[in-house]
Amino acid sequence: MTGTPFHLAVALDGAGWHPGAWRAAGARPGELFSAGYWTDLVTEAERGLLDFVTLEDTLAPQSEPFHRPDDRTDRVRGTVDAVLLAARLAPVTHRIGLVPTANVTHTEPFHVGIGIATLDHASEGRAGWRPQIASRASDAALFGRRTTPQLTDDDIRDPEAIARRLRPLFAEAADAVEVARRLWDSWEDDAEIRDAASGRFIDRDKLHHIDFEGPHFHVRGPSIVPRTPQGQPVVASLAHASTPYEFAATASDVVFVTPRDRAGVARILAEVDEAVAVTGRDLAARPLKRFADLVVVLGDTAAAAAERAARLDDLAGAPLASDAAVFTGTAAGLADLLEDWRAEGLDGFRLRPAALPHDLSAVTGTLVPELQRRGVFRTEYTSTTLRGHLGLARPASRYAVPAAG
Amino acid sequence: MPAGSNAGQPPPRAGQAKQVHLAVQLPGIHNVTVWTDPRSESQIAVDSFIRLARAAERGKFDFFFLAEGLRLREHKGQVYDLDVVGRPENLTMLAALAAVTSRLGLAATVNTTFNEPYEVARRFATLDLLSEGRTAWNVVTSYDAFTGENFRRGGYLDEADRYTRAAEFLSTAKELWASWGEDDLVADASSGEFVRPGAGRFAHHGEHFDISGRFGTPRGPQGHPVIIQSGESDAGREFAARDADVIFSKYSSLEQARPFYEDVKRRLAAYGRTHDDLKILPTATAVVADTDEEARAYADEITREQVSPQTAIAHLEGVWGRDLSAYDPDGPLPDVDPEPESLILKGHSVFRKGREETARRWREIAGERELSIRELMIEVHGGQTFVGSPRTVADSIDHFVQSDGADGFILVPHLTPDGLDEVVDRVVPLLQEKGVYREDYTGPTLRDHLGLGLPKETP
């Protein structure tokens, strides 16, 4: 492999990111809630040597508008808890990173923190986490203990308007991630001593109260889960505007962005850099990996891909609309685009297959070999952990006192 | 209970003998675990969980059970360090175990105090889908503000509210699980209908929860998880008689277990339920060796490991509510009186209530028998339930069940992860030979293993 490593992930969601995907040939719509379906997908992704898969999640059933529920019956509706799904997939995979989405607005940060830590134990060091805020009033009604700002139809036309309205939720989400990270650090690596002579299983001086105090919650700690294989699982977030860029700069190890073209890549990365500067993050100490999201509709020829896209649009009854750019074409064409965009400074890409399993198989079966031929993608896993794949060091516990001398 | 205490003739068998149910609990934070044994491995590595779960499935056990503790216990203001410390988040680890087992039930303890019904119902529905119908929920409440310090809610619930919240929590979860009908997931590509209109719609307006909307996760194979309840109080027994499929008990001696069994089963009729609708499973340990004598010697050894000198003092401090570190564990009980209002050991339910009475009783026992502190602690905390050769243990288990002391047991091995092997490989075959234990699983779901039908729908 020449040059710096090229990172590649896939985002798995239901039958694929195209709303017509569940009706396409080869789809398995009746199995979307079964372990077998997801096992097939994630083992395929692992065959392609991908860095990680992300698993989408929502609290209530999905909806066409981003900000409020619909009552449509002609779209995939229903999800399983993504953290549990990732754990179910952990023993049937061996190298690929598993990055579930988990809500932080209506949940207890302690529960989420120990769930992700447990996923890291269950996967022996392959856990990530995409913290997600829940802004819909209808989501708040599922819990009945708070209200959240309701976005209007006007708000959602502009990512900056959304971000302004949701700024308090992002601030709270940053606190939730901070709590999780402190919990992950609350056991030092060598806390378990099993000292039969003194009868002590642990050295209690190596467990720490985290004593987080914020406007929305306090958490005393320490974690109930011992230090995990990665020390800290990898935190990833999706961002479209200044506030979420700042959230990523504060809280994330990986940020997913949504440029529409190469110029957009440059512009967005500059905005991310600015957010990093605003938050004072030291990138040498805590690198932030920058991935671009792309929806992909792949075919053996450009015409075949276009035909598939049109067919999916027909099945959905509407053309595909996405927050991310949509690539329709061949794997070779996609490889060209990835190399071109990456020259602006991206670390990698998160591809969203339009239809499963077709577009995932095209990524692993044709795109990956193409990238390997070009010498820009790994030909085997060289690490066993997600941090290892991404070239991120295993952090020391913030509470550990460096050994003297 | 020492070996032989269940001696006596088993009752004559009319027709088919009662079937024994077995489950296993991964030994966690209490002193059942002998972590000083060189065979003791990690209590947190996934490999430990996988090996124990596979042993349980090899033994055709009903389920694998995980207890919960949402704050590490503290002793004199510091994390308790004498027992195993640390455990996984239950549902996440059980989801991983669903991948490496195919029949074994997966039972998670989740409290109703520091959770919300929507999230808990959604996670259990997920696990039921991903395990193809093998989940159980042990419904518990948390008891103090100490645990609450880890949560948004804090410790505001008072004693009475935590039970009314628990009852409403469970009924609300059942409403959520019932909100998807069996045919609501259509997924018909040709017609273009994915879900039936209104799938998941619910509205619950109660004292503790006022929530509405659409439940986001389709119905699992069991309709809803098997419900487990523990608790010896009158209210606990009534809750179990009304709502539970399994009740845990601590009564592992036949003389205490039989009245409990009779009382709980008698309460079922008032709720239109029959004798077999609720399984009573005490927690138990088993020490198996080639001969009864060897097993007894081994059991004594285990018990001494479980109650180390340091553990003996710590337990005494828990009841006395004061620092007793100056006392010799091999000497007599302290002459100072307990401070019943002082909680020196936090996060440990055993030492919460009735400590003056406990201290009085312990003084009596120690005085009569001239026991040292450690000997007393071994007497009151130690002891194994079933001790003996495989034949003796199989006979004792069978006798206990046929005598209506229980429907089976939750076994807690003292070694992780291979502590169940002796029971699985040497005792289970004898139970099978007796015709009181399944040769193989007869169905795919945990409800099948327990002989339970699908749950009745919440009206």
Side-chain angles (χ1 to χ4, degrees), chain A residues 350-373:
Chain A
R350 183 176 75 145
L351 303 179
R352 306 185 194 173
L356 294 168
H358 184 282
D359 291 302
L360 172 63
S361 308
V363 166
T364 55
T366 55
L367 175 68
V368 165
E370 176 64 26
L371 294 172
Q372 287 168 333
R373 258 194 301 281

Side-chain angles (χ1 to χ4, degrees), chain A residues 30 227 282:
Chain A
R227 184 95 171 148
D282 173 3

Side-chain angles (χ1 to χ4, degrees), chain A residues 12-376:
Chain A
L12 300 179
D13 184 20
W17 288 78
H18 197 298
W22 73 273
R23 300 182 65 186
R28 295 156 65 181
E31 298 173 49
L32 299 188
F33 309 100
S34 76
Y37 173 74
W38 294 95
T39 297
D40 289 350
L41 294 178
V42 75
T43 52
E44 178 62 32
E46 188 169 64
R47 264 195 293 279
L49 307 175
L50 303 186
D51 290 73
F52 59 89
V53 295
T54 60
L55 302 165
E56 298 299 310
D57 202 358
T58 58
L59 289 168
Q62 306 87 326
S63 57
E64 208 86 338
F66 151 78
H67 61 306
R68 56 180 159 77
D70 62 26
D71 283 321
R72 293 187 75 140
T73 57
D74 63 338
R75 297 282 193 260
V76 169
R77 292 291 179 261
T79 48
V80 291
D81 180 280
V83 176
L84 298 185
L85 176 58
R88 173 64 182 76
L89 297 170
V92 298
T93 52
H94 305 282
R95 290 290 178 267
I96 196 162
L98 302 165
V99 184
T101 297
N103 174 267
V104 291
T105 302
H106 299 295
T107 51
E108 292 283 356
F110 190 87
H111 287 318
V112 182
I114 64 175
I116 300 297
T118 300
L119 178 62
D120 207 40
H121 281 291
S123 64
E124 300 183 293
R126 296 181 285 126
W129 168 34
R130 183 188 154 206
Q132 185 179 43
I133 62 172
S135 65
R136 307 195 299 187
S138 56
D139 286 345
L142 305 173
F143 289 79
R145 61 180 192 182
R146 67 186 301 183
T147 55
T148 50
Q150 176 58 50
L151 298 171
T152 64
D153 289 352
D154 275 344
D155 287 334
I156 63 154
R157 289 190 193 120
D158 173 14
E160 286 298 337
I162 296 173
R164 264 195 308 279
R165 297 266 283 147
L166 301 185
R167 202 170 169 80
L169 292 186
F170 279 104
E172 184 182 349
D175 282 355
V177 175
E178 172 65 12
V179 163
R181 288 190 187 274
R182 287 194 200 183
L183 289 170
W184 298 338
D185 278 351
S186 67
W187 288 59
E188 294 183 36
D189 282 328
D190 48 358
E192 186 180 314
I193 53 171
R194 295 189 181 232
D195 181 38
S198 64
R200 295 175 306 145
F201 181 78
I202 49 149
D203 177 353
R204 56 177 33 159
D205 293 336
K206 295 190 172 185
L207 266 60
H208 304 273
H209 291 120
I210 67 166
D211 284 326
F212 179 88
E213 297 285 343
H216 301 282
F217 47 80
H218 55 85
V219 176
R220 175 93 168 112
S223 179
I224 60 163
V225 184
R227 184 95 171 148
T228 74
Q230 292 187 109
Q232 294 205 4
V234 174
V235 177
S237 60
L238 172 64
H240 302 96
S242 56
T243 297
Y245 294 147
E246 281 175 32
F247 171 76
T250 305
S252 303
D253 302 296
V254 175
V255 59
F256 307 125
V257 296
T258 53
R260 314 300 296 200
D261 50 32
R262 181 165 170 169
V265 175
R267 186 177 47 75
I268 288 172
L269 291 185
E271 286 185 58
V272 172
D273 287 343
E274 196 185 316
V276 165
V278 165
T279 59
R281 177 170 180 160
D282 173 3
L283 287 179
R286 289 181 61 216
L288 176 63
K289 299 290 177 183
R290 302 164 325 170
F291 280 50
D293 269 20
L294 275 171
V295 180
V296 296
V297 187
L298 296 170
D300 292 339
T301 64
E307 229 168 82
R308 281 192 62 236
R311 172 82 184 131
L312 288 167
D313 288 351
D314 277 351
L315 288 169
L320 174 62
S322 177
D323 55 320
V326 180
F327 174 86
T328 303
T330 64
L334 179 57
D336 289 343
L337 182 146
L338 301 186
E339 288 209 84
D340 182 44
W341 284 22
R342 189 164 164 269
E344 293 291 343
L346 289 166
D347 296 292
F349 295 87
R350 183 176 75 145
L351 303 179
R352 306 185 194 173
L356 294 168
H358 184 282
D359 291 302
L360 172 63
S361 308
V363 166
T364 55
T366 55
L367 175 68
V368 165
E370 176 64 26
L371 294 172
Q372 287 168 333
R373 258 194 301 281
R374 299 179 185 201
V376 296

